[in-house]
Amino acid sequence: MRVFLVAGARPNFMKVAPLLETLHAKSDRVPELQPFLIHTGQHYDSQMSDDFFRDLGMPMPDIYLGAGSGSHAEQTARVMVAFEKACVEHKPVLVVVVGDVNSTLACAISAKKLGIPVAHVEAGLRSRDMSMPEEINRLCTDIISDFLFTTDELASANLIAEGCAPERIYFVGNTMIDSLTKHLGRALAAPLPYGLEAGSYALLTLHRPSNVDEPVALHCLFDAINAIADYIPVIFPAHPRTAQRMGTIQLHHGVRVIEPLAYLSFLGLMARARIVLTDSGGIQEETTVLHVPCLTLRRNTERPITCEQGTNFVVGTDPREILQSALHVLNAPPPKNLIPDKWDGHAGERIADILLGWLSPNRATAAIGSAVTSGTGPAKKTAE
Ligand code: UD1
């Protein structure tokens, strides 16, 4: 009885690892269960993929689809075709997708059209910004998924408001935080690079198309970053997409551009930063758990809980506002914030318990801890 777990791009690996590990650890409950790790190949450089497998202690993928880069349609289509073939050959009883990248949507569609139930981990997040490719991926994946695993109750409420049946929704917490909780000690054991001292530098990441594909937008952001570098050194591990577009930008001597970092190195830098500036989704969540102030360089967030309870400020892309917000944070004491409910390192276990309950030959109720209802999931197909 095969269960496919899909990972394709950098932010997926941390979300899949805890669930894969827990399914293996609890496999005695469903002895015929075979978790299969599928890597779509959306990210393929060692810095964007292999190094993450090493740091997270993940096994090699059982199937590598080799989709690679391309336009959205090309990339999504290549993953769909290759994934459909893998499903036809290996006949999984369930496909688990995570996050909001093109691989997430592609695999959900291919599986669903073959009649295979789909579980979406990190369902219900909404930026309400349809110019974000990830928002389209989230909406389309959620509408066809049978299990909707949410990281917070705002996400569950979004799904209810969109008409999703409550029995499909399970509030389980955040598997990316499971990975953080597990690996933080190792990340902090390594000394900081470049002679940096804890609490004395800013960490920057940028890769959203809306920020980096348009030269004027990217120049404006670096006006702000250069101004911030007058006050605090800035470390910038540049995503390949951004690195390709940095050509003509003049950088302050306090801005250090480095290669993308593997998981542990990045976590170690983030946990000890004075401030983080980012347009990433996941980093808004990680900084909240680490109690590190985060300025989100976007006009919106699909993760409002990190602003309501955590350390996140959505500051937009205007250089003056970014500088003002950064100076405000740098002049204030480090924040005291809440950690959202169920971001406790056990989300993968909750998901595994629900799925194993559903897969179990003596299927009882599948639901534990669902904020919305006691979901039962879809009708189970006979195991192959
Ligand atoms: C993708 C996800 C985004 C996620 C991000 C994390 C979608 C729509 N976007 O965006 O949600 O936050 O990953 O990194 O799925 N490239 C390399 N090496 C690689 C992978 C990509 O050089 O291993 C280059 C590609 O040639 C391409 C660019 O980076 O030009 C963008 O890659 P792509 O996967 O298309 O999108 P991301 O911007 O990484």
Side-chain angles (χ1 to χ4, degrees):
M1 196 198 311
R2 295 185 180 119
V3 170
F4 277 9
L5 283 90
V6 176
R10 187 170 65 173
N12 289 167
F13 306 129
M14 304 77 103
K15 296 170 190 172
V16 164
L19 182 54
L20 183 65
E21 187 182 336
T22 316
L23 283 177
H24 278 298
K26 296 188 178 209
S27 60
D28 55 325
R29 279 176 52 188
V30 184
E32 64 274 35
L33 175 75
Q34 278 184 283
F36 253 53
L37 179 60
I38 318 294
H39 189 325
T40 66
Q42 174 171 346
H43 284 175
Y44 42 84
D45 286 351
S46 58
Q47 291 162 320
M48 301 294 284
S49 174
D50 306 2
D51 296 354
F52 281 71
F53 275 70
R54 183 202 60 214
D55 279 5
L56 293 162
M58 281 171 91
M60 291 296 286
D62 296 285
I63 300 175
Y64 185 77
L65 302 180
S69 299
S71 71
H72 284 273
E74 285 166 344
Q75 190 174 59
T76 308
R78 278 204 296 270
V79 176
M80 282 180 71
V81 172
F83 189 69
E84 182 181 56
K85 286 191 182 133
C87 288
V88 169
E89 186 182 343
H90 296 281
K91 301 184 174 42
V93 293
L94 176 73
V95 167
V96 182
V97 296
V98 300
D100 56 15
V101 302
N102 287 340
S103 300
T104 310
L105 172 65
C107 295
I109 294 178
S110 290
K112 191 69 185 173
K113 288 201 168 182
L114 289 170
I116 303 165
V118 175
H120 184 203
V121 175
E122 202 186 86
L125 297 183
R126 297 289 181 267
S127 65
R128 310 288 173 208
D129 177 356
M130 291 297 275
S131 69
M132 274 183 94
E134 293 83 359
E135 183 73 356
I136 299 166
N137 293 343
R138 290 179 200 119
L139 282 160
C140 298
T141 303
D142 285 343
I143 200 86
I144 59 174
S145 292
D146 301 279
F147 291 89
L148 296 162
F149 293 117
T150 64
T151 50
D152 63 61
E153 301 197 58
L154 303 174
S156 299
N158 287 337
L159 293 166
I160 292 287
E162 287 168 17
C164 291
E167 57 270 22
R168 288 161 59 205
I169 304 168
Y170 301 82
F171 166 38
V172 290
N174 194 324
T175 60
M176 200 181 59
I177 302 304
D178 293 4
S179 286
L180 184 152
T181 308
K182 179 173 176 190
H183 297 291
L184 182 60
R186 277 168 71 213
L188 290 174
L192 284 167
Y194 317 117
L196 293 170
E197 283 178 27
S200 67
Y201 58 92
L203 178 64
L204 169 70
T205 82
L206 281 179
H207 75 277
R208 291 267 154 236
S210 59
N211 278 340
V212 307
D213 285 2
E214 171 59 48
V216 175
L218 192 59
H219 275 87
C220 278
L221 283 175
F222 273 96
D223 286 347
I225 302 303
N226 285 337
I228 291 169
D230 273 340
Y231 299 89
I232 187 166
V234 179
I235 307 297
F236 177 35
H239 184 285
R241 178 182 206 107
T242 315
Q244 286 160 15
R245 292 158 173 80
M246 294 275 298
T248 60
I249 295 195
Q250 298 285 327
L251 290 176
H252 187 289
H253 61 84
V255 179
R256 184 189 282 260
V257 183
I258 59 174
E259 297 280 307
L261 292 173
Y263 181 66
L264 288 176
S265 309
F266 187 79
L267 182 54
L269 261 186
M270 179 166 53
R272 288 171 279 187
R274 177 68 183 87
I275 182 171
V276 171
L277 300 108
T278 190
D279 59 8
S280 152
I283 291 173
Q284 298 169 47
E285 298 179 338
E286 291 170 328
T287 46
T288 276
V289 172
L290 295 168
H291 305 283
V292 173
C294 175
L295 299 191
T296 294
L297 310 180
R298 291 168 42 189
R299 282 185 291 276
N300 50 57
T301 179
E302 60 289 331
R303 293 165 161 89
I305 195 129
T306 59
C307 303
E308 287 177 17
Q309 300 190 7
T311 56
N312 187 24
F313 303 90
V314 176
V315 297
T317 53
D318 178 78
R320 274 166 310 175
E321 294 205 2
I322 296 171
L323 176 62
Q324 228 172 40
S325 304
L327 292 180
H328 178 76
V329 164
L330 293 175
N331 289 323
K336 289 196 171 60
N337 61 283
L338 298 173
I339 307 272
D341 191 20
K342 297 191 188 173
W343 292 20
D344 56 1
H346 299 290
E349 287 166 38
R350 293 186 189 99
I351 296 171
D353 283 338
I354 292 164
L355 294 180
L356 290 170
W358 178 75
L359 289 163
S360 158
N362 318 310
R363 179 174 161 186
T365 175
I368 56 150
S370 168
V372 177
T373 187
S374 293
T376 50
K380 188 172 59 166
K381 287 177 86 176
T382 312
E384 299 287 339

